[in-house]
Amino acid sequence: MDPRFIDTIPSLSYNDDKCDDEYAFVKALCMSGGDGTNSYSTNSRLQRKVLTMAKPVLVKTTEEMMMSLDFPTYIKVAELGCSSGQNTFLAISEIINTISVLCQHVNKNPPEIDCCLNDLPENDFNTTFKFVPFFNKELMITSKASCFVYGAPGSFYSRLFSRNSLHIIHSSYALHWLSKVPEKLENNKGNVYITSSSPQSAYKAYLNQFQKDFSMFLRLRSEEIVSNGRMVLTFIGRNTLNDPLYRDCCHFWTLLSKSLRDLLFEGLVSESKLDAFNMPFYDPNVQELKQVIRNEGSFEINELETHGFDLGHSNYEEDDYEAGHDEANCIRAVSEPMLVAHFGEDIIDTLFDKYAHHVTQHANCRNKTTLSLVVSLTKK
């Protein structure tokens, strides 16, 4: 699951001075690598749950793709924002197994399949590729299809593949990451993202950046995917319609803002450093997502589902303290490289101790605004 910064498309790049100074931390946008205690690979239980949740849509979309393309003998799959660890192969395995079962059902030979794993060049591809032998071994048991795995480093806000070469694209929990921090956030002081105390200008800046980025993504993918090719995309979104600023009290970036303000109070971070840090992230609602897809015009919406979002706190069979630290580790795994690039390494352990404490304080939060959005698209 993954993130994206690009400085190669002029319309989506920073002013050079800002890129080198104020927003340099965005270049560190990647998940924590390796397989240690604080790594993304170790702390991606939520992302695994989301992949399982989206499985019915992915299976149906894959079947429809095969039938609409009259069972091609070659299939090229792209996993965009693959991040690192075993989760990378869950959706790909589902696609391959679905193709194999469908071909067996209609008495056709399964196609050869190329699987392209994409993320930013800073991503820890090494940890991911260590799992390729296990992936291939499992495929030999569950599928007769021949599969070849490749890496495709680069931003998915740029062209990644040759024209009309892809048949199906999957991306999970990656496209809510923006290509850059929106401009004009000077008045959103003390917050790393949108909160109820943010000015309307902050919401408009974030929405505008999301619209630009996602429109660019759709246009670029429309060049790379074949006619009647498919995409299944999963986002972190929100269920608020009337108040675009409202995020619940236990929203993960709200808790990070509170934790950083704790460190400000203790003199461990400066006010100027805190005010200069904003997440390159946006959680669209259903209407905002639909609007971008329809306005861009390259894809038709087949399905759009919403599901509950839970970092896992309410499902733990452990005390609030342990659950709080597990949630803190999850957020640390997706944000630590950026935080280190901006604030330095010395504050990180203390910061996420504070974060875990705030999680336990909001353990009974039920009025949650965050959800998962799953959309299935067909190239026109």
Side-chain angles (χ1 to χ4, degrees):
M1 189 216 99
D2 294 299
R4 343 308 52 192
F5 170 75
I6 180 164
D7 56 5
T8 57
I9 300 179
S11 63
L12 289 178
S13 62
Y14 295 114
N15 170 283
D16 289 342
D17 293 336
K18 283 187 175 183
C19 186
D20 292 337
D21 182 18
E22 184 178 357
Y23 297 139
F25 66 88
V26 185
K27 285 187 174 181
L29 177 50
C30 62
M31 306 297 100
S32 295
D35 54 8
T37 302
N38 297 318
S39 68
Y40 176 84
S41 181
T42 302
N43 296 285
S44 51
R45 178 165 27 184
L46 166 66
Q47 290 83 347
R48 178 177 287 266
K49 288 168 58 180
V50 169
L51 288 164
T52 301
M53 170 203 72
K55 175 180 173 179
V57 174
L58 182 60
V59 169
K60 182 180 179 182
T61 300
T62 303
E63 291 174 340
E64 290 174 347
M65 178 271 297
M66 288 295 293
M67 291 184 285
S68 67
L69 297 179
D70 195 24
F71 292 87
T73 58
Y74 167 76
I75 292 290
K76 189 171 182 178
V77 180
E79 176 72 26
L80 304 185
C82 67
S83 194
S84 60
Q86 297 184 63
N87 283 0
T88 298
F89 297 99
L90 291 178
I92 290 176
S93 296
E94 206 59 60
I95 291 170
I96 294 171
N97 288 334
T98 299
I99 291 172
S100 183
V101 170
L102 183 62
C103 288
Q104 187 176 15
H105 182 70
V106 297
N107 199 28
K108 290 182 177 290
N109 292 325
E112 290 194 328
I113 303 173
D114 278 346
C115 294
C116 303
L117 307 182
N118 157 260
D119 212 308
L120 294 173
E122 293 81 4
N123 181 58
D124 180 14
F125 283 98
N126 286 339
T127 294
T128 296
F129 288 137
K130 288 177 183 178
F131 291 102
V132 171
F134 302 99
F135 169 69
N136 288 332
K137 184 177 180 180
E138 185 70 21
L139 271 187
M140 292 176 63
I141 299 172
T142 61
S143 172
K144 295 182 180 180
S146 298
C147 178
F148 308 91
V149 178
Y150 305 90
S155 168
F156 53 44
Y157 294 126
S158 67
R159 276 287 302 274
L160 294 167
F161 306 101
S162 56
R163 293 181 183 275
N164 300 313
S165 64
L166 297 175
H167 298 85
I168 185 167
I169 293 172
H170 177 262
S171 181
S172 183
Y173 272 28
L175 279 160
H176 42 246
W177 293 106
L178 303 176
S179 69
K180 68 174 188 175
V181 173
E183 298 177 355
K184 300 180 180 178
L185 295 178
E186 295 82 5
N187 295 324
N188 195 34
K189 296 184 182 299
N191 297 311
V192 305
Y193 187 55
I194 300 169
T195 69
S196 296
S197 64
S198 300
Q200 281 285 336
S201 59
Y203 158 68
K204 292 178 180 178
Y206 269 106
L207 176 61
N208 182 60
Q209 190 62 50
F210 172 75
Q211 290 171 334
K212 287 181 179 179
D213 285 353
F214 190 39
S215 295
M216 174 68 77
F217 173 88
L218 293 172
R219 183 179 68 78
L220 295 170
R221 301 295 81 79
S222 72
E223 297 175 11
E224 297 166 345
I225 200 166
V226 301
S227 180
N228 283 321
R230 302 299 205 271
M231 293 202 295
V232 175
L233 313 174
T234 304
F235 300 74
I236 294 177
R238 72 183 196 281
N239 58 20
T240 53
L241 302 178
N242 298 324
D243 185 356
L245 293 177
Y246 180 70
R247 301 297 187 280
D248 59 67
C249 63
C250 55
H251 189 279
F252 43 93
W253 296 144
T254 300
L255 297 186
L256 184 61
S257 295
K258 289 182 177 181
S259 303
L260 284 165
R261 289 197 295 269
D262 289 344
L263 300 193
L264 172 63
F265 179 76
E266 295 176 12
L268 298 178
V269 300
S270 68
E271 187 173 7
S272 61
K273 274 284 189 181
L274 175 55
D275 290 343
F277 186 85
N278 293 279
M279 279 294 172
F281 172 97
Y282 187 69
D283 47 354
N285 62 32
V286 169
Q287 285 79 358
E288 291 166 349
L289 192 64
K290 285 182 177 179
Q291 183 181 22
V292 175
I293 295 168
R294 289 168 177 167
N295 289 348
E296 195 281 328
S298 298
F299 294 87
E300 293 182 353
I301 299 174
N302 304 320
E303 294 184 62
L304 203 168
E305 295 184 352
T306 63
H307 298 268
F309 173 94
D310 193 338
L311 280 169
H313 191 285
S314 62
N315 297 323
Y316 280 97
E317 297 178 358
E318 51 193 43
D319 60 34
D320 286 345
Y321 176 83
E322 291 296 329
H325 275 276
D326 283 344
E327 185 168 326
N329 287 340
C330 178
I331 297 303
R332 179 172 181 166
V334 302
S335 62
E336 182 172 3
M338 282 191 295
L339 291 165
V340 168
H342 188 74
F343 296 103
E345 293 184 11
D346 293 344
I347 70 161
I348 299 301
D349 288 340
T350 304
L351 174 63
F352 285 101
D353 284 341
K354 301 285 188 185
Y355 190 102
H357 174 69
H358 284 298
V359 171
T360 62
Q361 287 187 318
H362 295 282
N364 295 321
C365 175
R366 293 294 177 263
N367 186 28
K368 296 184 178 180
T369 57
T370 303
L371 47 73
S372 295
L373 304 176
V374 184
V375 60
S376 171
L377 304 173
T378 298
K379 164 75 180 298
K380 293 180 179 178

